[in-house]
Amino acid sequence: MNSPVQNVIEEFTAKYGEFAPKLIETLLGYINDGWNLTKAVNQALVDVGLNDFLTENIETAIREGVAIGAGVKTIPLLKPLESEWDGSGMKLSEKLHGTQKQMRQNIISTVQAQIALNKHAYETAMKLYDGYNTSDNVIRKQKLPKYINDLAVFARRSDLPGLSKLCRQTRRKVDRLAKNGAPTKVLKAAYSQLIDAVEKHSEKALENAVKVAVEEKTRYTAERIARTESARAWLDGYLKKYENNERVTAHKWKLSSRHPVFDICDMYAKADMYGLGKGVFPKDKIPNLPVHPHCFCHLAPVYTSELKGKQQKENIKEAGDKWLKTLPKQEQYKVLGLDGLKAWQNGADWRNYARNYSTDYAKTRLKDLNIKPKNDIIKVTKVTLLANPNSITDYHRGKNGIDRNYYDGNGRLYKQITNDNHGNAKNHPYGKHGEHAHDFIYDEKGKLIARPVRELTDTERKEVEDIL
């Protein structure tokens, strides 16, 4: 199951893909002009507007994330969405500043490392060339093959297949000629060719290093803040959407299909910590999201009608113990760490060791926001169980009958509000005109298993007053 903000991140990545070539071209221009590396990087980042790029696109990711969570089309970048939320004490502006510093350092360190490799490779090639001008047979017989090996290593580390091939050819030539006493002139010609190749390929290696720094390492840093902040914004909108819904009494933890590693998120999704079912948390006991960088876990509403026969009871430690015991040691280690695993096996409480476990429960930062989903309603000619994620549709059944349909973050119909009794007052003895709601309940495999009918809540009446 994909994260509700997956498309948001893909849009950010596409924008960065358009931004990166400009940065690469500008930076290489300054480096080739002989600028000091740090000065070149600093000036290139200013020229291409890294600060403006990050600010604009991270803010866009946050706005889109919170809108998806809230189930509305758009929400402005409200001040609360720029506030601290993860215990770091840092506001959005401070995080963006820190991200820029890290991106700058990523570029400098990567390119510096390549420059050092280039210098070493050239010096090695020169030693190789000069070696045959010496009368020292030890250098001739022992060090020269080592120099070729060093150049081969440089070629591999710098991803230069052309230079690797030339190193192999030179080695074969040395081995062949050395059998009959290597002619110095021929070998010197081969080594001279190798020096030229090192100089040529060093330029390519430097270009590759700049591309790796910009397209991979700095992109990773930029995507990390985009993922983290948009995921948190989604949670803000999602919690706000359901906080006054009397029919939703809990939320189910959902792992993303792109969940990167086995960790505490797996426990949240699979342990029954409150007696309400695996991964189900009461409204006021939801673990904070995102749990870690690149966390794409999300939530789904659980309606009161789904919890019939279940009694809420907090048993966090016991549920965690039970779940951990079902795991192989390798996965226990991933959750607890080595010291934690040993301590837990000796009777210690896993909560003191589980990585990223916290009792900092989720709360929305949008306390004063009044969300009205009715502003984003699509007219349809039929009702379907699947539609666009977080969409709302209206189906007109002739005369004045209207079904308003609500879809969750996965595009699945979870609620339908009807403004009449379908001409069957006996089965719909609700409200003034028979207006009522249906909650759609699915099993673990996503199959619809129930569609109970009920009275509208006061909040719902306000939301759909335009069709009543």
Side-chain angles (χ1 to χ4, degrees), residues 282-447:
K283 270 187 174 182
D284 60 344
K285 300 293 184 181
I286 305 169
N288 216 355
L289 276 169
V291 177
H292 50 77
H294 300 294
C295 177
F296 265 169
C297 295
H298 49 285
L299 305 170
V302 177
Y303 293 88
T304 305
S305 55
E306 298 178 68
L307 300 176
K308 288 181 179 179
K310 296 181 179 179
Q311 186 72 32
Q312 180 177 329
K313 180 183 178 182
E314 183 173 308
N315 59 329
I316 299 174
K317 180 181 180 302
E318 295 79 4
D321 286 334
K322 181 179 179 181
W323 178 75
L324 285 167
K325 290 176 182 178
T326 67
L327 305 178
K329 283 190 177 180
Q330 184 178 6
E331 292 182 346
Q332 292 173 345
Y333 163 75
K334 291 178 180 179
V335 177
L336 300 174
L338 182 58
D339 292 339
L341 177 55
K342 290 180 179 178
W344 175 69
Q345 289 173 334
N346 290 324
D349 191 331
W350 62 263
R351 292 175 291 186
N352 296 327
Y353 298 94
R355 295 164 174 168
N356 294 313
Y357 174 75
S358 173
T359 55
D360 179 20
Y361 299 123
K363 295 179 181 178
T364 182
R365 292 176 290 176
L366 304 176
K367 297 178 181 178
D368 300 322
L369 179 64
N370 183 22
I371 295 177
K372 295 182 178 181
K374 67 182 181 182
N375 294 329
D376 189 29
I377 298 171
I378 304 168
K379 289 185 179 180
V380 295
T381 56
K382 64 178 180 178
V383 179
T384 59
L385 291 179
L386 296 174
N388 291 331
N390 298 302
S391 62
I392 302 173
T393 67
D394 271 359
Y395 171 59
H396 293 252
R397 291 178 284 98
K399 289 190 176 181
N400 297 318
I402 299 175
D403 295 332
R404 180 156 292 172
N405 310 289
Y406 297 79
Y407 296 85
D408 63 20
N410 296 308
R412 190 168 63 181
L413 181 62
Y414 70 89
K415 181 175 69 174
Q416 182 183 75
I417 293 179
T418 299
N419 68 344
D420 62 12
N421 59 18
H422 302 292
N424 190 341
K426 181 178 179 181
N427 291 334
H428 300 89
Y430 306 106
K432 184 177 180 180
H433 304 289
E435 60 270 19
H436 59 279
H438 288 280
D439 293 322
F440 288 68
I441 301 173
Y442 302 82
D443 62 18
E444 289 290 331
K445 296 182 179 180
K447 181 180 179 181

Side-chain angles (χ1 to χ4, degrees), residues 8-25 48 50 53-54 57 103 211 214-216 218-220 222-223 226:
V8 176
I9 301 306
E10 290 176 356
E11 289 174 8
F12 178 87
T13 300
K15 289 289 180 64
Y16 189 85
E18 298 171 2
F19 171 83
K22 302 173 187 176
L23 176 55
I24 292 170
E25 181 182 2
V48 299
L50 175 64
F53 171 83
L54 280 180
N57 288 283
M103 292 174 73
K211 288 183 177 180
V214 174
E215 294 177 349
E216 296 180 23
T218 57
R219 176 179 59 80
Y220 174 88
E223 279 189 359

Side-chain angles (χ1 to χ4, degrees), residues 13-141:
T13 300
K15 289 289 180 64
Y16 189 85
E18 298 171 2
F19 171 83
K22 302 173 187 176
L23 176 55
I24 292 170
E25 181 182 2
T26 304
L27 178 55
L28 283 173
Y30 286 130
I31 292 175
N32 292 333
D33 286 344
W35 282 42
N36 167 273
L37 178 58
T38 300
K39 181 180 177 182
V41 172
N42 288 339
Q43 189 60 50
L45 293 177
V46 171
D47 289 353
V48 299
L50 175 64
N51 179 65
D52 291 342
F53 171 83
L54 280 180
T55 300
E56 177 184 347
N57 288 283
I58 295 298
E59 288 181 352
T60 297
I62 290 173
R63 288 198 304 271
E64 292 179 352
V66 72
I68 292 171
V72 298
K73 187 173 183 179
T74 58
I75 286 181
L77 185 68
L78 303 172
K79 279 293 180 183
L81 294 175
E82 301 181 63
S83 63
E84 181 273 336
W85 60 266
D86 59 2
S88 67
M90 297 173 64
K91 296 180 180 179
L92 178 62
S93 59
E94 295 170 309
K95 291 180 180 178
L96 288 174
H97 178 69
T99 298
Q100 291 178 59
K101 288 179 63 178
Q102 188 173 352
M103 292 174 73
R104 180 183 295 108
Q105 188 54 46
N106 283 342
I107 296 173
I108 292 173
S109 61
T110 301
V111 178
Q112 273 181 339
Q114 188 62 55
I115 289 174
L117 279 175
N118 289 358
K119 181 180 179 182
H120 175 70
Y122 183 76
E123 291 174 348
T124 299
M126 289 305 299
K127 289 177 182 177
L128 187 62
Y129 179 76
D130 293 339
Y132 259 86
N133 289 330
T134 179
S135 60
D136 186 347
N137 289 328
V138 176
I139 292 179
R140 183 177 302 182
K141 293 180 180 178

Side-chain angles (χ1 to χ4, degrees), residues 131-332:
Y132 259 86
N133 289 330
T134 179
S135 60
D136 186 347
N137 289 328
V138 176
I139 292 179
R140 183 177 302 182
K141 293 180 180 178
Q142 296 179 6
K143 290 191 176 180
L144 294 181
K146 177 183 181 300
Y147 293 152
I148 299 177
N149 285 339
D150 286 349
L151 289 179
V153 170
F154 164 72
R156 287 196 299 272
R157 290 180 63 181
S158 302
D159 192 22
L160 301 172
L163 183 56
S164 295
K165 181 178 180 181
L166 188 56
C167 286
R168 292 193 298 271
Q169 291 173 346
T170 304
R171 182 192 301 280
R172 287 196 296 269
K173 188 175 293 186
V174 169
D175 291 342
R176 185 176 67 251
L177 295 173
K179 290 180 180 179
N180 301 314
T184 301
K185 183 182 291 188
V186 177
L187 286 177
K188 284 179 67 174
Y191 294 147
S192 179
Q193 183 184 10
L194 196 56
I195 290 171
D196 292 341
V198 167
E199 288 183 314
K200 177 183 177 181
H201 284 84
S202 289
E203 294 177 5
K204 181 63 177 177
L206 183 61
E207 181 180 332
N208 289 345
V210 171
K211 288 183 177 180
V212 167
V214 174
E215 294 177 349
E216 296 180 23
K217 295 187 177 181
T218 57
R219 176 179 59 80
Y220 174 88
T221 303
E223 279 189 359
R224 182 173 61 189
I225 188 172
R227 289 174 188 268
T228 303
E229 293 300 321
S230 62
R232 174 62 212 199
W234 176 87
L235 179 68
D236 288 309
Y238 175 89
L239 294 178
K240 186 64 182 179
K241 177 180 179 179
Y242 291 108
E243 69 176 354
N244 294 320
N245 189 326
E246 298 94 335
R247 310 306 299 178
V248 175
T249 55
H251 296 276
K252 185 173 179 60
W253 193 274
K254 295 285 189 178
L255 291 175
S256 166
S257 58
R258 298 191 179 191
H259 187 58
V261 295
F262 196 88
D263 58 16
I264 191 67
C265 295
D266 292 87
M267 179 185 285
Y268 289 155
K270 298 170 185 176
D272 184 3
M273 296 183 173
Y274 291 91
L276 302 176
K278 294 180 180 180
V280 179
F281 295 85
K283 270 187 174 182
D284 60 344
K285 300 293 184 181
I286 305 169
N288 216 355
L289 276 169
V291 177
H292 50 77
H294 300 294
C295 177
F296 265 169
C297 295
H298 49 285
L299 305 170
V302 177
Y303 293 88
T304 305
S305 55
E306 298 178 68
L307 300 176
K308 288 181 179 179
K310 296 181 179 179
Q311 186 72 32
Q312 180 177 329
K313 180 183 178 182
E314 183 173 308
N315 59 329
I316 299 174
K317 180 181 180 302
E318 295 79 4
D321 286 334
K322 181 179 179 181
W323 178 75
L324 285 167
K325 290 176 182 178
T326 67
L327 305 178
K329 283 190 177 180
Q330 184 178 6
E331 292 182 346
Q332 292 173 345

